[in-house]
Amino acid sequence: MSEVNSEKITHEQHSVPKESCLNEASSKDEENIKDAIRSPSSSSNHLLTNPTQDQTEKPLSKKQMKKRKRYEKLMGIKKRKKEQDKAVKAAKAKAEGRDLEKERQKQHEQFLCGEGRMKRERKWLERLKKIETSFKVCIDCSFEDLMTPKEIGSLSNQIRYCYAINKKSYHSVCLSVSSLKGQTHENLSRVEGFPDGWKTRAFECSELGLEEMHTEKENLVYLTSDSENTLESLDNSKVYVIGGIVDRNRLKCTTIDKAKSLGIQTAKFPIDEHLKLCATKVLTINHVFEILLKFKEHNDWKKALLDVLPARKDIKSTDDADSIHRKS
């Protein structure tokens, strides 16, 4: 079979809903389908050319059966959740006297004529005026050589989260990424719209180092939990720098050493003043970024920290010894 046909077959298999395939196929076809999902390039031809060949196939092992049951259970949960969300939206619209069908039709018409896009652009132009007078945030990606491929993949994802959070927030800031190159840049290049589309949403990136991208060192503040300085408020004239490093708490003092070598002032969040964390105080890049946005919105460190930090941190308020249970 030619390479073109093989690619076509693989695409057709991925376009078929997995759950319906598993429910309708025979037990051996199910095994073939699962194999095709795991390794489409190696099993797609077998699945199509021998759909009923099951006489010589071995029965599923206990481990394979457990995996299949777990997969089917997850697909069932996903389907039920989707139906529940749909029902909740419909009930809410009915209570508010809205007609969902008319709304969908209007959205479709706006999409066809480009009105929806123009409306979003007008909103962003208004938002950009506020962004220009706000503090800025930069993610320093100069630590790629110290990280494993898995950690670099996590870094790429966290940068994507930051962009998405900033894009959706009504309190956006100018987000930049310095020293963006190598595998991190390659990972982000696979994302649709990067970098040109992102640049229209208060985002910029460069291969240049932090000190070259932001030349006014006196305006830079490197955020690190190893700092002795605690943030009390945010200065709109500053650029707050987040170390672009995912090390699973393996590389100690890396960011503060970088800041000292560049002669940049450092600071940390006032976590101890407001919360008691039983887990590590080292936060992910997207958590740090979101806390900055939340403080800009509420001007309250405690609320910003509680809104962002995940429940697995086992958070306790300094005002109350009881655990604060929140949804992660």
Side-chain angles (χ1 to χ4, degrees):
M1 185 177 290
S2 67
E3 182 180 352
V4 174
N5 290 337
S6 177
E7 292 178 357
K8 182 177 180 181
I9 290 169
T10 302
H11 173 73
E12 289 174 356
Q13 285 184 329
H14 281 264
S15 66
V16 178
K18 298 176 185 176
E19 186 177 5
S20 62
C21 289
L22 290 174
N23 290 335
E24 296 173 4
S26 65
S27 60
K28 286 307 168 183
D29 288 340
E30 288 176 353
E31 181 182 356
N32 291 336
I33 291 168
K34 291 294 289 182
D35 289 339
I37 293 171
R38 289 193 293 266
S39 180
S41 61
S42 64
S43 60
S44 58
N45 293 341
H46 171 76
L47 180 61
L48 290 181
T49 55
N50 300 284
T52 59
Q53 185 179 3
D54 58 0
Q55 293 84 357
T56 60
E57 296 289 344
K58 295 181 179 179
L60 292 176
S61 65
K62 289 184 178 180
K63 188 175 181 180
Q64 288 173 325
M65 290 179 69
K66 285 182 179 179
K67 284 185 177 180
R68 188 173 69 179
K69 287 180 180 179
R70 184 164 61 247
Y71 173 81
E72 291 174 347
K73 183 179 179 180
L74 289 174
M75 289 298 101
I77 293 173
K78 185 176 181 180
K79 184 179 179 180
R80 287 194 299 272
K81 187 177 183 302
K82 188 175 181 180
E83 291 173 350
Q84 289 171 357
D85 291 343
K86 188 176 180 180
V88 169
K89 288 180 181 179
K92 184 179 179 181
K94 186 177 180 180
E96 295 173 353
R98 293 159 46 210
D99 189 333
L100 288 178
E101 287 300 325
K102 288 184 178 180
E103 289 181 3
R104 293 190 187 101
Q105 181 64 28
K106 185 177 180 180
Q107 288 177 352
H108 182 65
E109 291 173 357
Q110 289 177 340
F111 172 76
L112 293 177
C113 68
E115 183 180 342
R117 182 179 181 83
M118 289 187 289
K119 186 177 179 180
R120 290 193 298 272
E121 292 299 330
R122 285 194 298 268
K123 285 184 177 180
W124 256 99
L125 287 174
E126 294 175 3
R127 202 180 297 180
L128 283 172
K129 294 177 182 178
K130 297 179 181 179
I131 290 174
E132 291 173 357
T133 60
S134 174
F135 62 85
K136 300 178 180 180
V137 179
C138 179
I139 301 174
D140 177 17
C141 290
S142 61
F143 308 100
E144 184 174 299
D145 293 342
L146 303 176
M147 294 187 289
T148 65
K150 184 178 180 180
E151 291 169 345
I152 294 172
S154 296
L155 169 63
S156 306
N157 288 333
Q158 290 181 32
I159 293 174
R160 291 177 62 184
Y161 295 152
C162 291
Y163 167 75
I165 293 166
N166 197 46
K167 182 181 175 181
K168 293 178 182 178
S169 175
Y170 289 103
H171 302 274
S172 306
V173 298
C174 180
L175 173 63
S176 61
V177 182
S178 64
S179 302
L180 184 59
K181 49 191 173 183
Q183 188 60 47
T184 308
H185 184 274
E186 186 177 334
N187 292 342
L188 292 173
S189 296
R190 300 191 190 105
V191 180
E192 185 178 358
F194 179 88
D196 296 333
W198 289 25
K199 290 179 180 178
T200 62
R201 295 294 182 263
F203 177 87
E204 58 179 324
C205 61
S206 173
E207 292 185 357
L208 297 176
L210 174 63
E211 67 279 13
E212 297 172 295
M213 194 172 185
H214 300 282
T215 54
E216 299 178 354
K217 287 187 179 181
E218 63 275 10
N219 291 334
L220 295 175
V221 180
Y222 217 117
L223 300 177
T224 169
S225 59
D226 298 311
S227 176
E228 296 180 355
N229 307 315
T230 302
L231 281 176
E232 295 182 0
S233 61
L234 297 177
D235 187 340
N236 285 329
S237 67
K238 301 296 185 182
V239 179
Y240 293 95
V241 184
I242 304 173
I245 184 168
V246 179
D247 61 344
R248 318 299 180 194
N249 210 18
R250 174 171 52 84
L251 303 172
K252 305 289 186 180
C253 300
T254 304
T255 51
I256 195 169
D257 289 344
K258 169 72 179 291
K260 288 179 179 179
S261 68
L262 295 177
I264 299 173
Q265 57 183 315
T266 63
K268 63 181 177 181
F269 287 147
I271 296 177
D272 291 335
E273 287 75 3
H274 299 284
L275 304 175
K276 294 180 180 178
L277 296 186
C278 298
T280 176
K281 296 176 186 176
V282 179
L283 308 177
T284 62
I285 297 165
N286 49 293
H287 283 157
V288 174
F289 181 73
E290 193 171 2
I291 288 170
L292 292 172
L293 295 188
K294 287 292 183 180
F295 181 82
K296 181 183 177 183
E297 179 181 354
H298 302 295
N299 197 33
D300 184 329
W301 282 115
K302 185 174 181 179
K303 181 169 179 55
L305 292 166
L306 288 174
D307 283 352
V308 176
L309 294 181
R312 66 175 179 272
K313 291 289 185 181
D314 195 11
I315 302 170
K316 295 181 181 179
S317 172
T318 53
D319 299 332
D320 190 348
D322 295 332
S323 297
I324 299 175
H325 299 288
R326 294 171 299 105
K327 199 173 183 179
S328 60

